[in-house]
Amino acid sequence: MTAPNDPDADRTLKARHRAMWALGDYPAVAAEVIPALGPVLVDACGVKPGAQVLDVAAGSGNAAIPAALAGADVIAGDLTPELFDAGRRTAAEQGAQLRWEQADAEALPYADGAFDVVMSCVGVMFAPHHQAAADELVRVCRRAARSA
């Protein structure tokens, strides 16, 4: 995993990213602008019942919720847990069961090979250190599993 050059500057940057995402209305964007992306991603990843799925930078769950509805055991992780309340409401309305956990895409708090499917709809591309985030997605994905 590629480490940032200045850990203090990196913490400050991530705090600013979190504040920025918390201030906007990402749940509305997910629901009104990109609602079809989550189900398309879940289908492309071949999510099946019982699969262990991690949605990285999940926001309000526009991919995590469809994965849960497909029968997967899903964790929706995001740097900005302020987005989870909207996701929890949507999940409850749709009858989806999943876990919501604060997680930095560049330092995921999960064991190596913990998931069958590791996905990110439009969130991980905003991580400041792309190689570190990509390395983490691969690290937590089981061999012969899928990362998208």
Side-chain angles (χ1 to χ4, degrees), residues 2 5-6 9 17-19 21 23 31-33 41 61 69 72 84 88 107 112 116 140:
T2 305
N5 292 333
D6 182 347
H17 276 220
R18 178 179 170 184
W21 286 107
L23 286 173
E32 297 169 19
V33 178
L41 180 59
L69 292 171
F84 295 164
R88 285 183 183 108
D112 294 358
D116 300 309
V140 301

Side-chain angles (χ1 to χ4, degrees), residues 26-132:
Y26 177 77
V29 171
E32 297 169 19
V33 178
I34 58 169
L37 290 182
V40 168
L41 180 59
V42 168
D43 184 57
C45 289
V47 172
K48 303 286 185 227
Q52 300 294 310
V53 175
L54 175 63
D55 184 4
V56 179
S60 55
N62 57 313
I65 293 169
L69 292 171
D73 180 14
V74 179
I75 295 176
D78 200 285
L79 185 66
T80 309
E82 292 85 352
L83 299 173
F84 295 164
D85 286 342
R88 285 183 183 108
R89 283 190 300 275
T90 301
E93 290 167 4
Q94 295 183 17
Q97 297 287 323
L98 62 149
R99 293 187 308 277
W100 302 86
E101 298 179 359
Q102 185 170 2
D104 180 345
E106 298 175 2
L108 294 169
Y110 308 108
D112 294 358
F115 299 93
D116 300 309
V117 176
V118 178
M119 62 184 186
S120 182
C121 194
V122 293
V124 78
M125 67 186 184
F126 294 106
H129 307 289
H130 296 145
Q131 187 63 58

